[in-house]
Amino acid sequence: QLQASGGGSVQAGGSLRLSCAASGRTFTRNIMAWFRQAPGKEREFVALAWPLGRTFYGESVKGRFTISRDTTQNMVYLRMSSLEPEDTAVYYCAADSTVAGGRSDYYYARAGIYDYWGQGTQVTVSS
């Protein structure tokens, strides 16, 4: 139901834009997010977007990454700039099945609450 794309290999300092297309249902009232997982590490929160556009970022990407969503097209994007080798990971988009609200950004930064996951797209940043 979620299909991520846009990954690739770039040099440090470069940029990429990831896309995530939802199908089968709409997520206009739901939180959508990006996570990433590097080899040998736990899945890490990257960014999330509320239905009306408010965003929240993980500390390691704040100021460099931008999440956006197009609810009319059932899409969520992640614009990544000033990429660093430490950003190398498989990136996953995710969506929560419950209607957004009543919880803090930190609650929605937990991978365990998301019901829908994309298949992941590899991002490799070389120095």
Side-chain angles (χ1 to χ4, degrees):
Q1 298 219 356
L2 297 179
Q3 180 76 31
S5 61
S9 297
V10 296
Q11 290 193 328
S15 299
L16 281 174
R17 190 180 84 151
L18 305 183
S19 300
C20 177
S23 61
R25 61 160 287 176
T26 60
F27 295 99
T28 55
R29 302 172 68 194
N30 311 82
I31 299 282
M32 297 190 76
W34 289 94
F35 289 79
R36 66 186 182 186
Q37 189 164 19
K41 295 188 176 182
E42 293 187 355
R43 194 162 293 192
E44 176 190 16
F45 168 73
V46 175
L48 63 83
W50 288 73
L52 295 182
R54 196 180 89 205
T55 58
F56 181 66
Y57 296 91
E59 286 298 320
S60 62
V61 306
K62 197 175 294 184
R64 300 187 298 121
F65 291 11
T66 303
I67 187 172
S68 61
R69 57 189 298 178
D70 181 345
T71 54
T72 64
Q73 299 295 324
N74 226 15
M75 298 284 294
V76 63
Y77 305 96
L78 185 69
R79 175 68 177 175
M80 305 184 294
S81 302
S82 302
L83 283 162
E84 304 167 353
E86 293 74 22
D87 296 316
T88 295
V90 177
Y91 284 70
Y92 299 90
C93 58
D96 181 23
S97 63
T98 59
V99 174
R103 304 280 190 173
S104 70
D105 292 328
Y106 292 98
Y107 171 82
Y108 288 107
R110 301 183 303 159
I113 71 156
Y114 289 89
D115 311 280
Y116 297 93
W117 290 89
Q119 84 288 2
T121 185
Q122 176 71 45
V123 172
T124 302
V125 185
S126 58
S127 58

